[in-house]
Amino acid sequence: MRSILITGGNGGLGLAIARCFLAQDSETRVWLGVRSNRARAEELAAEFSGRCLPVDLEVTSAEAWQSAVGKILETDGRVDVLVNNAGMHRDHLLATMPDEAWHSVISANLDAVFLGCRAVIPTMMRQRFGRIVNISSLSAVLPPLGQTNYAAAKAGVVALSQTLAKETARSGITVNSVLPGYIDTEALGGMDAEARKNAQRGIPMRRFGRPEEVAAAVCFLAGKDAGYITGAALKIDGGIF
């Protein structure tokens, strides 16, 4: 049995990744790390009773990580895959960005990845096996105006992943990052019709990506066939960059 932990397990992308893993292997158990707004995570857990379980996880808290990983180890005895998917953005021009907007975005998008990786690495090293996939963003390499905090955090995720990949390669652990562009999830829900059209004109494929397309890449990178891929930064952006 594979034991998989996905943070941000109540959002569209996290749920799509969970469904991909659950469909891929009937021997897989998926843990959905959630802090609040648990309804969608609980619906998926009910659909896959016993194979999908929510677990309380405030990703910016080292203690919460230890508690969540401890619960998974108590139940499954192992952690095979970590997908660091939770994140948030608070856009401002740097000149007017409040301190809190900077620190909260760095904490949710970068500190959380550090804490999550550190929490599972000892177990994965003892297992001599592990897969870590960190969800970054196209903003890491093609940052838009108003996202100095988010772009800096997501670029940090790529660098963290590449460094950790070197540190853990001899232990049978791979660490990769995925950089989605415009993906049609609730994160784009605030865009009006005209803004959506303008955004799509800038995408060579002329459409937004689907959560399932990102999920497929994550599931591949977390699988046995991707055992020689580590330190990669995979863009999923319809050809923007």
Side-chain angles (χ1 to χ4, degrees):
M1 185 193 76
R2 281 200 308 170
S3 183
I4 297 167
L5 172 58
I6 303 169
T7 69
N10 54 354
L13 186 53
L15 291 167
I17 294 168
R19 282 189 176 278
C20 182
F21 281 121
L22 290 164
Q24 195 178 64
D25 183 359
S26 62
E27 298 299 314
T28 289
R29 183 168 4 241
V30 172
W31 296 82
L32 300 174
V34 291
R35 181 188 63 180
S36 58
N37 301 321
R38 302 168 62 98
R40 296 174 73 190
E42 288 174 350
E43 286 176 9
L44 189 66
E47 183 179 344
F48 293 91
S49 180
R51 295 185 54 215
C52 182
L53 297 170
V55 59
D56 291 330
L57 180 54
E58 166 52 72
V59 295
T60 61
S61 163
E63 292 77 14
W65 273 105
Q66 291 301 321
S67 176
V69 171
K71 182 175 182 179
I72 294 168
L73 290 175
E74 183 180 340
T75 305
D76 293 344
R78 59 188 299 112
V79 179
D80 297 289
V81 179
L82 169 64
V83 181
N84 279 306
N85 168 67
M88 53 94 78
H89 64 87
R90 292 182 58 189
D91 297 352
H92 295 272
L93 295 176
L94 185 143
T96 58
M97 182 176 293
D99 288 355
E100 198 273 332
W102 172 268
H103 291 298
S104 63
V105 169
I106 295 295
S107 181
N109 293 285
L110 182 56
D111 292 349
V113 172
F114 157 70
L115 292 171
C117 291
R118 189 178 65 178
V120 301
I121 283 294
T123 295
M124 289 182 173
M125 292 184 76
R126 286 194 297 271
Q127 295 170 175
R128 305 295 294 178
F129 178 86
R131 298 282 185 265
I132 297 175
V133 183
N134 296 322
I135 306 298
S136 178
S137 168
L138 191 65
S139 293
V141 293
L142 193 65
L145 294 170
Q147 284 196 345
T148 50
N149 50 1
Y150 184 75
K154 291 301 191 179
V157 169
V158 174
L160 181 155
S161 302
Q162 292 173 336
T163 304
L164 184 58
K166 294 179 179 179
E167 294 178 0
T168 60
R170 293 183 66 183
S171 299
I173 302 167
T174 66
V175 187
N176 295 289
S177 56
V178 171
L179 287 63
Y182 287 99
I183 306 300
D184 211 355
T185 65
E186 62 276 359
L188 301 183
M191 298 178 73
D192 59 35
E194 189 60 30
R196 289 177 69 92
K197 287 181 182 177
N198 289 335
Q200 287 171 348
R201 289 190 191 103
I203 304 170
M205 286 190 178
R206 295 296 191 269
R207 68 172 178 87
F208 294 156
R210 298 187 298 274
E212 294 77 13
E213 292 172 313
V214 178
V218 172
C219 285
F220 171 72
L221 290 172
K224 292 182 179 179
D225 291 341
Y228 201 58
I229 302 173
T230 196
L234 176 62
K235 293 180 276 79
I236 305 176
D237 65 354
I240 294 174
F241 189 79

